[in-house]
Amino acid sequence: MKLIDFHCHPDLYNDNFKMLNNANKIVFVTNLPVLFERYYPKYKDSKNNFLALGYHPELIEEYPNYFEKFKRNLYKTRFVGEIGLDNSERNKESFGKQLRIFREIMDECNKSDGKIISIHSRKAESSIFEELINNNNIYILHWYTGTLKRLLDGMMKNQNIYISVNLDMTTTKKGHDLIHSVPIDRIVLETDAPFTKESKKRYDYKILEDTITQIAKIKKSNLEDITIQIQANSKKILG
């Protein structure tokens, strides 16, 4: 099994999706339901590009009335993202709306038990973990920057909580501490392309290989063993 990119924004490249021609398996997250609808006819049957239905928390103030459209499309895919909460300074005013919509999204996902959900949680992890119930959904915390204790407590209570790690995370102290402390069987990979340093310049498989190499160094573990475990995690999530 190849390495899988669990969080990527191909539509934000100005290359008319050329980067997907050479991509291995990726979760193609969207920021609004209308974008999912736009790309669905082309990618609905793709074996490599798993199209996710998203409603990005940073866009809720500008696009507040898209939940019904989100709900109407949810049956079309197992993959949900990017969704979540953002309580950073510039998004505090919309946090109440974000929380209402996030709860509505999670209610719908729980009705259709078995979604793979990529979650944005900037400065909002205390609210996020309250909504992650034990069921058949898989929760992947994308570029997690919250408290380590809260994450590990959440993982102890819910076996279906994972983090996705990108290359930029391996270069910061906070990311290093996170990777070091989180059990390897709860880690998968992401690029968050084109938002990371390397993915701004290019999109290729080597970014994932470099990420897993850095994870092995941080874990002080054999690269082959780490690769096998992360592949196993990916396989388990995809079922």
Side-chain angles (χ1 to χ4, degrees):
M1 188 182 207
K2 290 280 192 176
L3 300 174
I4 296 174
D5 181 353
F6 275 92
H7 191 103
C8 176
H9 298 264
D11 57 329
L12 299 184
Y13 282 96
N14 295 318
D15 64 358
N16 197 27
F17 294 98
K18 287 179 184 175
M19 55 83 72
L20 291 178
N21 295 336
N22 299 315
N24 287 280
K25 292 185 185 297
I26 71 165
V27 177
F28 176 167
V29 297
T30 55
N31 286 340
L32 288 170
V34 289
L35 296 173
F36 174 86
E37 289 178 338
R38 182 185 302 171
Y39 308 134
Y40 182 75
K42 184 172 183 180
Y43 294 105
K44 64 178 180 177
D45 297 319
S46 173
K47 291 181 170 49
N48 288 325
N49 306 305
F50 306 121
L51 187 65
L53 174 63
Y55 195 176
H56 199 293
E58 291 182 298
L59 296 177
I60 283 172
E61 183 70 25
E62 187 176 357
Y63 301 95
N65 301 313
Y66 277 63
F67 173 68
E68 287 304 317
K69 192 175 284 289
F70 183 99
K71 184 176 175 180
R72 286 198 301 271
N73 284 285
L74 187 58
Y75 78 94
K76 295 178 181 176
T77 180
R78 290 175 64 205
F79 297 87
V80 174
E82 183 168 356
I83 64 161
L85 296 171
D86 191 304
N87 199 29
S88 58
E89 197 59 40
R90 65 179 180 176
N91 294 298
K92 281 185 180 295
E93 287 188 16
S94 68
F95 191 74
K97 291 179 190 173
Q98 292 179 43
L99 186 57
R100 175 178 57 79
I101 289 172
F102 181 65
R103 285 172 171 165
E104 289 175 336
I105 287 173
M106 296 310 296
D107 283 346
E108 291 301 316
C109 289
N110 292 335
K111 289 176 190 174
S112 54
D113 218 11
K115 300 298 186 186
I116 298 167
I117 307 170
S118 188
I119 300 175
H120 176 113
S121 59
R122 188 183 294 134
K123 297 188 180 298
E125 69 276 4
S126 58
S127 298
I128 290 284
F129 284 111
E130 290 177 4
E131 307 303 324
L132 308 187
I133 66 172
N134 270 297
N135 58 14
N136 290 326
N137 291 327
I138 302 291
Y139 307 108
I140 304 176
L141 295 167
H142 143 68
W143 205 329
Y144 182 80
T145 57
T147 65
L148 184 56
K149 182 181 185 309
R150 189 167 277 131
L151 173 64
L152 295 176
D153 286 349
M155 287 180 161
M156 284 286 290
K157 295 171 186 172
N158 190 328
Q159 294 298 306
N160 286 344
I161 295 176
Y162 294 77
I163 60 166
S164 51
V165 171
N166 61 57
L167 191 55
D168 282 14
M169 292 169 69
T170 69
T171 65
T172 67
K173 184 182 186 307
K174 191 155 198 172
H176 190 287
D177 292 346
L178 180 75
I179 294 162
H180 177 75
S181 301
V182 171
I184 189 59
D185 64 354
R186 300 295 192 90
I187 295 175
V188 292
L189 305 181
E190 65 166 63
T191 62
D192 199 23
F195 292 108
T196 51
K197 182 179 177 183
E198 288 303 317
S199 69
K200 282 185 175 71
K201 308 171 191 173
R202 71 187 204 279
Y203 183 90
D204 59 40
Y205 190 68
K206 188 174 184 300
I207 295 174
L208 295 176
E209 293 177 324
D210 290 346
T211 305
I212 210 166
T213 297
Q214 293 306 313
I215 292 171
K217 287 179 181 177
I218 291 168
K219 289 286 195 185
K220 295 183 169 58
S221 296
N222 178 275
L223 176 59
E224 183 178 0
D225 292 342
I226 294 291
T227 302
I228 289 169
Q229 183 61 60
I230 287 181
Q231 288 171 326
N233 301 344
S234 302
K235 187 175 182 180
K236 181 180 179 182
I237 288 169
L238 295 178

